[in-house]
Amino acid sequence: MIFDSIKRALDSVLNIIHETDEPGTIREIYDKIPVRGNNTWMLICSAMLASIGLDTGSGAVIIGAMLISPLMSPILGVGLSVGINDREMLWASVKNLSLAAAAGLIVSTFYFMITPLGEPTNELLARTKPTLLDVMVAFFGGVAGIVSISRSDKSNAIPGVAIATALMPPLCTAGYGLALGRFDFFFGGFYLFFINAVFISLATFLIVKYLKFDIKHYVDKATERRVARIMALMLFIVVSPSAYFLYNIYQNVQTKKKIENLIVRDFANRNNEIIKWEVTDTDTLSTIKIYSVGNPVPDSLLQHYDQVLAQNSLSKHRVKLVQLDVSAEDVRRMASDITNNLTKDFLKTIEIQKMQSQRADSLMRLANSYTPVSASRELKLIFPEIDKVEVGEIVSVAENKAKLDTVMLVMIGWKKPQPANQTKNTSAVFVDPAKITEYEQRIQQYMASRFRKDSVRVSSSL
């Protein structure tokens, strides 16, 4: 009773058969299988973008290449055609997938032959050793893709599947290997692409079987069992290298943890400062390089570490010490000096900002200290032609009589030129009537600057 209730609850949550659009699913996948027309252009652009992204280490460009890649439909077509026993669709899917893969290889190889960069970036290196985790990504990505396409109300999961499974970047990594003769990159990248293709197809096949799509051609039980055995054998062959790679990664992680517990921590407890440590592998031995500063380390300690490694199944590892010619005290003193210098620089910056603020306040007080009297005196010094000056503020009313504005009014009385027969002081300065307008503009600018006023009006009289 309880198990029946649990089964019904799980069935109501996980059941997707009643929402399946079988004819629409087959039609959508089949129509997008051919690599021609716009799909060809999208394929070329995707391969070029992926190559550029791998070459420059740009994750954003690589993601863009994944999104526009048309490789997903032929791969889904392989799984669908095997699931419904459609030989025509299977042939079309395999043919177009092969053409697309060849085109991607050609485009990426051509790019990496002419690029001025060509150094192996982290994005390239990440696609040379696929593991079982990549197998899981491809499988569950394929499940999400076919489930999304098979719904009567289509969802937007396909872009996410394209990003997760990353079909074009590993293919372009293989192109990089061909262009530079790096066959480790070629086989690693192509193997990752092959894993993705196989397990997306497998996920599609299993979901199609679960959804009970109609079989196009009748298959007897013996043929069905033979196909199942062949598929199981192919999957085992495909997965085996990835399992080996994952095992190696796991072993490396465990080895580094063991080295850290046995050697690195003990070395650090002997009053030595470890800058960094790393393991470099060769054909016969692996060297544990420890970069440190501190007390001199005797050779006997290194021999002791080698014995400890041998006793813990790490006989092919040797410890090599790279000791810098400074003591731990020097390191601490340098760190303290750096901290003190940073603190001094920070305090100096604050002091400079404070001085600048005080100077700005002084300038503001100086500007506010100007009075009409002092301004009048300065105007007479600047313009000897002035006879008298009157400075004041008036209230100006706008035409709509709703807006009031305070205006500084400067009234200038100029020294009027005297006739030649009446001039007593030949050194006296008089205004040239032709320059009065120019003088008024200069006085207006001067007063606006001194008093920080937006509105200054100058009126002259002779």
Side-chain angles (χ1 to χ4, degrees):
M1 188 71 176
I2 297 177
F3 291 106
D4 291 338
S5 300
I6 295 174
K7 182 179 178 182
R8 286 193 298 269
L10 290 176
D11 185 66
S12 64
V13 173
L14 300 177
N15 187 12
I16 56 174
I17 297 177
H18 62 283
E19 299 176 353
T20 301
D21 180 15
E22 180 179 340
T25 302
I26 296 174
R27 182 174 59 252
E28 181 171 353
I29 293 177
Y30 187 79
D31 290 344
K32 294 180 179 179
I33 288 175
V35 180
R36 60 170 179 263
N38 65 317
N39 274 356
T40 305
W41 285 94
M42 298 292 282
L43 178 68
I44 295 173
C45 293
S46 174
M48 187 60 69
L49 283 174
S51 299
I52 295 172
L54 292 170
D55 195 22
T56 59
S58 173
V61 177
I62 295 174
I63 291 174
M66 298 174 190
L67 289 173
I68 66 175
S69 171
L71 289 170
M72 182 66 72
S73 293
I75 295 174
L76 293 174
V78 171
L80 175 62
S81 60
V82 174
I84 65 176
N85 196 31
D86 189 335
R87 297 177 182 176
E88 181 183 352
M89 183 188 295
L90 177 61
W91 167 246
S93 300
V94 172
K95 180 182 69 174
N96 284 280
L97 179 59
S98 301
L99 290 174
L105 275 175
I106 292 171
V107 171
S108 58
T109 302
F110 173 75
Y111 171 82
F112 284 110
M113 288 175 65
I114 65 174
T115 178
L117 302 178
E119 293 297 323
T121 61
N122 290 332
E123 295 289 349
L124 283 165
L125 293 171
R127 291 168 173 84
T128 56
K129 291 184 179 180
T131 67
L132 279 177
L133 300 178
D134 296 292
V135 171
M136 296 173 64
V137 169
F139 178 77
F140 289 106
V143 171
I146 186 61
V147 169
S148 173
I149 293 176
S150 65
R151 302 301 86 205
S152 55
D153 52 337
K154 309 297 181 185
S155 68
N156 58 351
I158 291 298
V161 173
I163 295 174
T165 53
L167 294 165
M168 186 58 75
L171 195 61
C172 294
T173 302
Y176 172 85
L178 282 179
L180 278 73
R182 297 287 301 272
F183 291 103
D184 53 338
F185 281 81
F186 171 75
F187 288 113
F190 194 80
Y191 178 53
L192 178 56
F193 169 76
F194 187 66
I195 282 177
N196 289 339
V198 168
F199 280 88
I200 291 172
S201 298
L202 175 64
T204 304
F205 169 79
L206 295 177
I207 296 299
V208 164
K209 287 297 185 182
Y210 171 73
L211 296 176
K212 297 181 173 60
F213 278 25
D214 293 333
I215 304 297
K216 187 171 184 181
H217 300 292
Y218 179 77
V219 179
D220 57 41
K221 292 295 182 180
T223 303
E224 187 174 355
R225 286 194 295 270
R226 185 170 65 252
V227 170
R229 287 194 296 269
I230 293 173
M231 289 182 63
L233 179 61
M234 290 181 60
L235 291 176
F236 176 77
I237 295 173
V238 169
V239 170
S240 296
S242 65
Y244 172 74
F245 289 140
L246 182 61
Y247 176 75
N248 282 342
I249 292 175
Y250 172 78
Q251 286 292 98
N252 290 334
V253 171
Q254 294 301 314
T255 299
K256 285 188 175 182
K257 286 183 179 179
K258 189 181 292 187
I259 292 171
E260 185 174 5
N261 292 330
L262 295 174
I263 306 299
V264 176
R265 290 183 180 177
D266 180 78
F267 188 84
N269 291 332
R270 296 175 182 270
N271 295 325
N272 289 281
E273 298 285 342
I274 297 178
I275 306 299
K276 73 169 185 175
W277 68 277
E278 60 185 5
V279 180
T280 56
D281 298 322
T282 59
D283 294 335
T284 56
L285 288 176
S286 296
T287 304
I288 304 169
K289 292 184 178 179
I290 301 177
Y291 300 84
S292 72
V293 296
N295 300 326
V297 177
D299 294 337
S300 58
L301 180 61
L302 300 182
Q303 295 173 0
H304 168 70
Y305 284 154
D306 290 341
Q307 294 176 0
V308 171
L309 292 172
Q311 293 170 1
N312 289 273
S313 303
L314 295 174
S315 57
K316 293 185 178 181
H317 288 72
R318 295 290 183 272
V319 177
K320 180 179 180 181
L321 178 63
V322 181
Q323 194 162 16
L324 304 181
D325 192 17
V326 288
S327 64
E329 309 247 343
D330 293 333
V331 173
R332 285 191 287 270
R333 187 169 57 255
M334 286 187 291
S336 177
D337 291 342
I338 292 173
T339 303
N340 292 334
N341 290 335
L342 291 174
T343 304
K344 290 178 181 178
D345 291 341
F346 178 70
L347 294 175
K348 186 178 292 185
T349 301
I350 294 178
E351 185 177 356
I352 291 173
Q353 291 177 349
K354 185 177 180 180
M355 291 174 62
Q356 290 176 343
S357 177
Q358 291 175 349
R359 183 179 179 186
D361 293 341
S362 299
L363 291 175
M364 181 68 72
R365 288 194 299 269
L366 183 61
N368 293 334
S369 66
Y370 281 101
T371 62
V373 175
S374 62
S376 301
R377 292 174 180 172
E378 290 186 5
L379 284 177
K380 287 186 176 182
L381 291 174
I382 297 172
F383 300 95
E385 299 90 346
I386 294 177
D387 184 23
K388 61 180 179 178
V389 181
E390 294 182 6
V391 179
E393 290 185 346
I394 61 173
V395 177
S396 175
V397 182
E399 294 181 359
N400 56 13
K401 298 182 181 180
K403 183 179 179 181
L404 300 178
D405 188 16
T406 302
V407 179
M408 175 174 284
L409 178 62
V410 182
M411 300 183 66
I412 305 294
W414 300 101
K415 294 180 180 179
K416 185 177 181 181
Q418 299 294 327
N421 56 0
Q422 297 181 6
T423 301
K424 298 179 181 179
N425 187 2
T426 56
S427 62
V429 179
F430 303 100
V431 69
D432 184 355
K435 293 186 177 182
I436 289 179
T437 302
E438 178 186 348
Y439 289 165
E440 288 178 347
Q441 293 176 353
R442 290 168 59 186
I443 291 171
Q444 184 179 11
Q445 295 174 357
Y446 169 78
M447 297 298 287
S449 175
R450 281 300 193 193
F451 285 92
R452 300 183 184 274
K453 292 288 186 179
D454 295 331
S455 300
V456 177
R457 187 179 301 169
V458 179
S459 177
S460 298
S461 63
L462 285 173

